[in-house]
Amino acid sequence: MSKSNNVYKDAYNRGLRLLDETKSLPSEPELGTLLGVSRTTIRSILARMEETGLIAWNKRSKTVLRVPRPDDFFPEEETDTLSQIIERSFMRRLLAGGAEPGMQINELELAREIGVGTTSVREFLIRFSRFGLIEKRRNSHWVLKGFTRAFALELTEIREMFELRSAAAFAALPEDSPVWADLDRLEDEHRLLAREIATRFNEFSELDERFHRLIHRASHNRFIVDFYDVIAMIFHYHYQWNKAQERERNEVAVAEHLAYIAALKSRDLDKVDAACRKHLKSARNTLLNSIPEGHQP
Amino acid sequence: MSKSNNVYKDAYNRGLRLLDETKSLPSEPELGTLLGVSRTTIRSILARMEETGLIAWNKRSKTVLRVPRPDDFFPEEETDTLSQIIERSFMRRLLAGGAEPGMQINELELAREIGVGTTSVREFLIRFSRFGLIEKRRNSHWVLKGFTRAFALELTEIREMFELRSAAAFAALPEDSPVWADLDRLEDEHRLLAREIATRFNEFSELDERFHRLIHRASHNRFIVDFYDVIAMIFHYHYQWNKAQERERNEVAVAEHLAYIAALKSRDLDKVDAACRKHLKSARNTLLNSIPEGHQP
DNA sequence: AAACTGTTTTTTCACGATAAAAGACATTAA
DNA sequence: TTAATGTCTTTTATCGTGAAAAAACAGTTT
């Protein structure tokens, strides 16, 4: 087994959803751009759809014969990328405890435990190293630096520096920039979520990421934009890990976002600065509170 | 051929230099820490030194029999890490022209051209991607973003943000911090270099890096410290590429460094800010001037 | 002739295998 | 009894290989 066909399976599942809406499918290249895969993969998908009696396929004509059933879909877990699988396993280990700072990380052991090749684990660790949680010893093992208080403080220091600058850049953007429409849309989504916060509070984290990414993009600086990957990754796992007072925390955050948005729309740099600072401060506290106070110097 | 023994060869060469100075070598573990390799490698080195008649080796006694000759050394090029080899090849291609932004990067082609396996090239590209010069298309090729004016501006924007903050942190360090001694030593080296700038101007880039790294370390922030890798890498190749007015440029930079050092020692934050700003501004201009003004939007 | 489908080639992704290097354990010398 | 050496085991670095996926090419259809 040298490479799983998760790209095919994932695209197939997404392709099935298209069958609900139309009576016949578009051309192969069009399907390719729609699903974000190559024609080669599209043709495999079409071949299977034909086999399972979902469509009749003859050259250009691709007629939908029936609506897909639940069992037509590939199981969710077969559609994951290998690196997603490795990341999840790795983060589970890291957060599940017993992960003391200074601990060694063993590529071979990780690979065996997850059931993948060493190459994939190595590549994952190299990619992951930019998050600042692990470090490589030349010709030797990786060392876990740990999700410590120091880490959180260093991370938020940069975040605050970058976001204050991005927010200022955002507010200075011309009237006709399309970002203002994006911001309006996000504001509506925030209003909606605020109204139904009691039941939908767990949808906040996704909205949070979209909002902050929009702001960071105004910096027009690849290093600032890319750094948000670190923040997003940490917050993603942090949200999964720490569910304490999630509803209250998110309710506060939504309100802060709305104030932040209002400040941006006012284009008053002082107001923007204040609203941004206030929100980032509470985000930092949330993060710091979730870190188990350990044996740290 | 699955792995070159460059670690052994490099350590062997460095080991030879020890023979000049002493009549007998220390214990295996001691040699290991001295050369930064494991005992396994030390024993291979000792075995060869015995074979070639450099030492007499019997258990604890390792007597030097003769001084090493030039031909005892392994050739320089055999001591390079594979990733160094790949990086050099890649950068040569990148800087040698014909590297238009938007160009595709082909792992297989690169690997064949350099004469290494694809795995090593893949790992190199992943590591290299944090410099912001290339970007991966999922399941497909890498795209060269190019060493453009925009890149230089984004890079220097972050650099200035980080260094101003680090310099302020540096100046605020307590009297008894060991960094002040480090700074004194660097100041002496600068003075020395300034006096002999006519002949030794090409030694500046190494001094430059040590100086700025010392300052960045005062931030106590891993993201700031790590970001200096990006700057160092760019400046390293930039220096190789652009030799125009190298002497003059470096002479100016040494003077700026000395002013910067004086400001730090004064602990006057305004002076530090001004000296830092001045130096970073001229560093930015140097970098910008070296970028060929192309067909950029 | 523009856009599609059919076919072939190339590239990416991931694995197992193997030598180099590190590390662990056992033994011996001071 | 500490610290070395001798020996054995494990891990890392790198390659070649093969299937998945992309991309290029050639032939059709509208």
CSV table of all heavy atoms in Angstrom, one decimal, chain A residues 63-95:
chain,number,residue,atom,x,y,z
A,63,THR,N,-26.2,11.6,-17.3
A,63,THR,CA,-27.5,11.8,-16.8
A,63,THR,C,-27.6,11.2,-15.4
A,63,THR,O,-27.2,10.0,-15.2
A,63,THR,CB,-28.6,11.1,-17.7
A,63,THR,OG1,-28.0,11.0,-19.0
A,63,THR,CG2,-29.9,11.9,-17.7
A,64,VAL,N,-28.2,11.9,-14.5
A,64,VAL,CA,-28.4,11.4,-13.1
A,64,VAL,C,-29.6,10.4,-13.2
A,64,VAL,O,-30.7,10.7,-13.6
A,64,VAL,CB,-28.7,12.5,-12.1
A,64,VAL,CG1,-29.0,12.0,-10.8
A,64,VAL,CG2,-27.6,13.5,-12.1
A,65,LEU,N,-29.3,9.2,-12.7
A,65,LEU,CA,-30.4,8.1,-12.7
A,65,LEU,C,-31.1,8.1,-11.4
A,65,LEU,O,-32.3,7.9,-11.3
A,65,LEU,CB,-29.8,6.8,-13.0
A,65,LEU,CG,-29.2,6.6,-14.4
A,65,LEU,CD1,-28.6,5.2,-14.5
A,65,LEU,CD2,-30.2,6.9,-15.5
A,66,ARG,N,-30.4,8.3,-10.3
A,66,ARG,CA,-31.1,8.2,-9.0
A,66,ARG,C,-30.3,9.1,-8.0
A,66,ARG,O,-29.2,9.5,-8.2
A,66,ARG,CB,-31.1,6.8,-8.5
A,66,ARG,CG,-29.8,6.2,-8.1
A,66,ARG,CD,-29.9,4.8,-7.5
A,66,ARG,NE,-28.6,4.2,-7.3
A,66,ARG,CZ,-27.9,4.4,-6.2
A,66,ARG,NH1,-28.2,5.3,-5.3
A,66,ARG,NH2,-26.7,3.8,-6.1
A,67,VAL,N,-31.0,9.4,-6.9
A,67,VAL,CA,-30.5,10.2,-5.8
A,67,VAL,C,-29.6,9.3,-5.0
A,67,VAL,O,-29.9,8.2,-4.7
A,67,VAL,CB,-31.6,10.8,-5.0
A,67,VAL,CG1,-31.2,11.2,-3.6
A,67,VAL,CG2,-32.2,12.1,-5.7
A,68,PRO,N,-28.4,9.9,-4.5
A,68,PRO,CA,-27.5,9.0,-3.7
A,68,PRO,C,-28.1,8.6,-2.4
A,68,PRO,O,-28.8,9.4,-1.7
A,68,PRO,CB,-26.3,9.9,-3.5
A,68,PRO,CG,-26.7,11.3,-3.8
A,68,PRO,CD,-27.8,11.2,-4.8
A,69,ARG,N,-27.8,7.4,-1.9
A,69,ARG,CA,-28.2,6.9,-0.6
A,69,ARG,C,-27.1,7.1,0.4
A,69,ARG,O,-25.9,7.2,-0.1
A,69,ARG,CB,-28.6,5.4,-0.7
A,69,ARG,CG,-29.8,5.1,-1.5
A,69,ARG,CD,-30.2,3.6,-1.4
A,69,ARG,NE,-29.0,2.8,-1.8
A,69,ARG,CZ,-28.9,2.2,-3.0
A,69,ARG,NH1,-29.8,2.4,-3.9
A,69,ARG,NH2,-27.9,1.5,-3.3
A,70,PRO,N,-27.3,7.0,1.6
A,70,PRO,CA,-26.2,7.2,2.6
A,70,PRO,C,-25.1,6.2,2.4
A,70,PRO,O,-23.9,6.5,2.6
A,70,PRO,CB,-26.9,6.9,4.0
A,70,PRO,CG,-28.3,7.3,3.7
A,70,PRO,CD,-28.7,7.0,2.3
A,71,ASP,N,-25.4,5.0,2.0
A,71,ASP,CA,-24.4,4.0,1.8
A,71,ASP,C,-23.6,4.1,0.5
A,71,ASP,O,-22.7,3.4,0.2
A,71,ASP,CB,-24.9,2.6,1.9
A,71,ASP,CG,-25.9,2.2,0.8
A,71,ASP,OD1,-26.9,3.0,0.6
A,71,ASP,OD2,-25.7,1.2,0.1
A,72,ASP,N,-24.0,5.1,-0.3
A,72,ASP,CA,-23.2,5.4,-1.5
A,72,ASP,C,-21.9,6.1,-1.1
A,72,ASP,O,-20.9,6.1,-1.8
A,72,ASP,CB,-24.0,6.3,-2.5
A,72,ASP,CG,-25.0,5.5,-3.3
A,72,ASP,OD1,-24.6,4.3,-3.7
A,72,ASP,OD2,-26.1,5.9,-3.4
A,73,PHE,N,-21.9,6.8,0.0
A,73,PHE,CA,-20.8,7.6,0.5
A,73,PHE,C,-19.7,6.8,1.0
A,73,PHE,O,-19.9,5.7,1.6
A,73,PHE,CB,-21.2,8.6,1.5
A,73,PHE,CG,-22.1,9.7,1.0
A,73,PHE,CD1,-23.4,9.6,0.8
A,73,PHE,CD2,-21.5,11.0,0.7
A,73,PHE,CE1,-24.2,10.6,0.3
A,73,PHE,CE2,-22.3,12.0,0.3
A,73,PHE,CZ,-23.7,11.8,0.0
A,74,PHE,N,-18.4,7.2,0.8
A,74,PHE,CA,-17.3,6.5,1.5
A,74,PHE,C,-17.3,7.0,3.0
A,74,PHE,O,-17.7,8.1,3.3
A,74,PHE,CB,-16.0,7.0,0.8
A,74,PHE,CG,-15.7,6.3,-0.5
A,74,PHE,CD1,-15.8,7.0,-1.7
A,74,PHE,CD2,-15.4,4.9,-0.5
A,74,PHE,CE1,-15.6,6.3,-2.9
A,74,PHE,CE2,-15.1,4.3,-1.7
A,74,PHE,CZ,-15.2,5.0,-2.9
A,75,PRO,N,-16.9,6.1,3.9
A,75,PRO,CA,-16.8,6.5,5.3
A,75,PRO,C,-16.0,7.8,5.5
A,75,PRO,O,-14.9,7.8,4.8
A,75,PRO,CB,-16.3,5.3,6.0
A,75,PRO,CG,-16.2,4.2,5.0
A,75,PRO,CD,-16.5,4.8,3.6
A,76,GLU,N,-16.4,8.6,6.3
A,76,GLU,CA,-15.7,9.9,6.6
A,76,GLU,C,-14.2,9.7,6.8
A,76,GLU,O,-13.3,10.4,6.3
A,76,GLU,CB,-16.3,10.6,7.9
A,76,GLU,CG,-17.5,11.4,7.6
A,76,GLU,CD,-17.1,12.7,6.8
A,76,GLU,OE1,-16.0,13.2,6.9
A,76,GLU,OE2,-18.0,13.2,6.2
A,77,GLU,N,-13.9,8.7,7.7
A,77,GLU,CA,-12.5,8.5,8.1
A,77,GLU,C,-11.5,8.1,7.0
A,77,GLU,O,-10.3,8.2,7.1
A,77,GLU,CB,-12.4,7.5,9.3
A,77,GLU,CG,-12.8,6.1,9.0
A,77,GLU,CD,-14.3,5.9,9.2
A,77,GLU,OE1,-15.1,7.0,9.2
A,77,GLU,OE2,-14.8,4.8,9.4
A,78,GLU,N,-12.1,7.6,5.9
A,78,GLU,CA,-11.3,7.2,4.7
A,78,GLU,C,-11.0,8.4,3.8
A,78,GLU,O,-10.2,8.3,2.9
A,78,GLU,CB,-12.0,6.1,3.9
A,78,GLU,CG,-12.0,4.8,4.6
A,78,GLU,CD,-12.7,3.7,3.8
A,78,GLU,OE1,-12.8,3.9,2.6
A,78,GLU,OE2,-13.3,2.8,4.4
A,79,THR,N,-11.6,9.6,4.1
A,79,THR,CA,-11.3,10.7,3.3
A,79,THR,C,-10.3,11.7,3.9
A,79,THR,O,-10.0,12.7,3.3
A,79,THR,CB,-12.6,11.5,3.1
A,79,THR,OG1,-13.1,12.0,4.4
A,79,THR,CG2,-13.7,10.7,2.5
A,80,ASP,N,-9.7,11.3,5.0
A,80,ASP,CA,-8.7,12.2,5.6
A,80,ASP,C,-7.3,12.1,5.0
A,80,ASP,O,-6.9,11.0,4.6
A,80,ASP,CB,-8.6,11.9,7.1
A,80,ASP,CG,-9.8,12.3,7.9
A,80,ASP,OD1,-10.5,13.2,7.4
A,80,ASP,OD2,-10.0,11.7,9.0
A,81,THR,N,-6.7,13.2,4.9
A,81,THR,CA,-5.3,13.2,4.5
A,81,THR,C,-4.4,12.5,5.5
A,81,THR,O,-4.7,12.5,6.7
A,81,THR,CB,-4.7,14.6,4.4
A,81,THR,OG1,-5.7,15.4,3.7
A,81,THR,CG2,-3.4,14.7,3.7
A,82,LEU,N,-3.3,11.9,5.1
A,82,LEU,CA,-2.4,11.3,6.0
A,82,LEU,C,-1.9,12.3,7.0
A,82,LEU,O,-1.8,12.0,8.2
A,82,LEU,CB,-1.3,10.6,5.2
A,82,LEU,CG,-0.4,9.6,6.0
A,82,LEU,CD1,-1.3,8.6,6.6
A,82,LEU,CD2,0.6,9.0,5.1
A,83,SER,N,-1.6,13.5,6.5
A,83,SER,CA,-1.0,14.4,7.5
A,83,SER,C,-2.1,14.9,8.5
A,83,SER,O,-1.7,15.2,9.7
A,83,SER,CB,-0.4,15.6,6.7
A,83,SER,OG,-1.4,16.3,6.1
A,84,GLN,N,-3.3,14.9,8.1
A,84,GLN,CA,-4.4,15.2,9.1
A,84,GLN,C,-4.4,14.1,10.2
A,84,GLN,O,-4.6,14.4,11.4
A,84,GLN,CB,-5.8,15.3,8.4
A,84,GLN,CG,-5.9,16.5,7.5
A,84,GLN,CD,-7.2,16.4,6.8
A,84,GLN,OE1,-7.7,15.4,6.4
A,84,GLN,NE2,-7.8,17.6,6.5
A,85,ILE,N,-4.3,12.8,9.7
A,85,ILE,CA,-4.4,11.7,10.6
A,85,ILE,C,-3.2,11.8,11.6
A,85,ILE,O,-3.4,11.6,12.8
A,85,ILE,CB,-4.3,10.4,9.9
A,85,ILE,CG1,-5.6,10.2,9.0
A,85,ILE,CG2,-4.1,9.2,10.8
A,85,ILE,CD1,-5.5,9.1,8.0
A,86,ILE,N,-2.0,12.1,11.1
A,86,ILE,CA,-0.8,12.2,11.9
A,86,ILE,C,-1.0,13.3,12.9
A,86,ILE,O,-0.7,13.2,14.1
A,86,ILE,CB,0.4,12.3,11.1
A,86,ILE,CG1,0.6,11.1,10.2
A,86,ILE,CG2,1.6,12.5,12.0
A,86,ILE,CD1,1.8,11.1,9.3
A,87,GLU,N,-1.4,14.5,12.4
A,87,GLU,CA,-1.6,15.6,13.3
A,87,GLU,C,-2.5,15.3,14.4
A,87,GLU,O,-2.2,15.6,15.6
A,87,GLU,CB,-2.1,16.8,12.5
A,87,GLU,CG,-2.2,18.1,13.3
A,87,GLU,CD,-2.8,19.3,12.6
A,87,GLU,OE1,-2.2,19.7,11.6
A,87,GLU,OE2,-3.8,19.9,13.0
A,88,ARG,N,-3.7,14.7,14.1
A,88,ARG,CA,-4.6,14.4,15.2
A,88,ARG,C,-4.0,13.5,16.2
A,88,ARG,O,-4.1,13.8,17.4
A,88,ARG,CB,-5.9,13.8,14.6
A,88,ARG,CG,-7.1,14.7,14.5
A,88,ARG,CD,-8.4,14.0,14.5
A,88,ARG,NE,-8.4,13.0,13.4
A,88,ARG,CZ,-8.7,13.2,12.2
A,88,ARG,NH1,-9.0,14.4,11.8
A,88,ARG,NH2,-8.7,12.3,11.3
A,89,SER,N,-3.4,12.4,15.8
A,89,SER,CA,-2.8,11.5,16.7
A,89,SER,C,-1.7,12.2,17.6
A,89,SER,O,-1.7,12.0,18.8
A,89,SER,CB,-2.0,10.4,15.9
A,89,SER,OG,-3.0,9.5,15.4
A,90,PHE,N,-0.9,13.0,16.9
A,90,PHE,CA,0.2,13.7,17.6
A,90,PHE,C,-0.4,14.6,18.6
A,90,PHE,O,0.1,14.7,19.8
A,90,PHE,CB,1.0,14.4,16.6
A,90,PHE,CG,2.2,15.1,17.2
A,90,PHE,CD1,3.3,14.4,17.6
A,90,PHE,CD2,2.2,16.5,17.5
A,90,PHE,CE1,4.4,15.0,18.1
A,90,PHE,CE2,3.3,17.1,18.0
A,90,PHE,CZ,4.4,16.4,18.4
A,91,MET,N,-1.4,15.4,18.3
A,91,MET,CA,-1.9,16.4,19.2
A,91,MET,C,-2.7,15.7,20.3
A,91,MET,O,-2.7,16.2,21.5
A,91,MET,CB,-2.9,17.4,18.5
A,91,MET,CG,-2.2,18.3,17.5
A,91,MET,SD,-0.9,19.3,18.3
A,91,MET,CE,-1.8,20.4,19.4
A,92,ARG,N,-3.3,14.6,20.1
A,92,ARG,CA,-4.0,13.9,21.1
A,92,ARG,C,-3.0,13.5,22.2
A,92,ARG,O,-3.1,13.7,23.4
A,92,ARG,CB,-4.7,12.6,20.6
A,92,ARG,CG,-5.5,11.9,21.6
A,92,ARG,CD,-6.6,11.0,21.0
A,92,ARG,NE,-6.2,10.4,19.8
A,92,ARG,CZ,-6.9,10.4,18.7
A,92,ARG,NH1,-8.1,11.0,18.7
A,92,ARG,NH2,-6.5,9.8,17.6
A,93,ARG,N,-1.9,12.9,21.7
A,93,ARG,CA,-0.8,12.5,22.6
A,93,ARG,C,-0.3,13.7,23.4
A,93,ARG,O,0.0,13.7,24.6
A,93,ARG,CB,0.4,12.0,21.8
A,93,ARG,CG,0.4,10.5,21.5
A,93,ARG,CD,1.5,10.2,20.6
A,93,ARG,NE,2.1,9.0,21.0
A,93,ARG,CZ,3.4,8.8,21.1
A,93,ARG,NH1,4.3,9.7,20.9
A,93,ARG,NH2,3.9,7.6,21.5
A,94,LEU,N,-0.1,14.8,22.7
A,94,LEU,CA,0.5,16.0,23.3
A,94,LEU,C,-0.4,16.6,24.4
A,94,LEU,O,0.1,17.0,25.4
A,94,LEU,CB,0.8,17.0,22.2
A,94,LEU,CG,1.9,18.0,22.4
A,94,LEU,CD1,2.5,18.5,21.1
A,94,LEU,CD2,1.4,19.2,23.2
A,95,LEU,N,-1.7,16.6,24.1
A,95,LEU,CA,-2.6,17.2,25.0
A,95,LEU,C,-3.1,16.2,26.1
A,95,LEU,O,-3.5,16.6,27.2
A,95,LEU,CB,-3.8,17.8,24.3
A,95,LEU,CG,-3.5,19.0,23.3
A,95,LEU,CD1,-4.7,19.3,22.5
A,95,LEU,CD2,-3.0,20.2,24.1
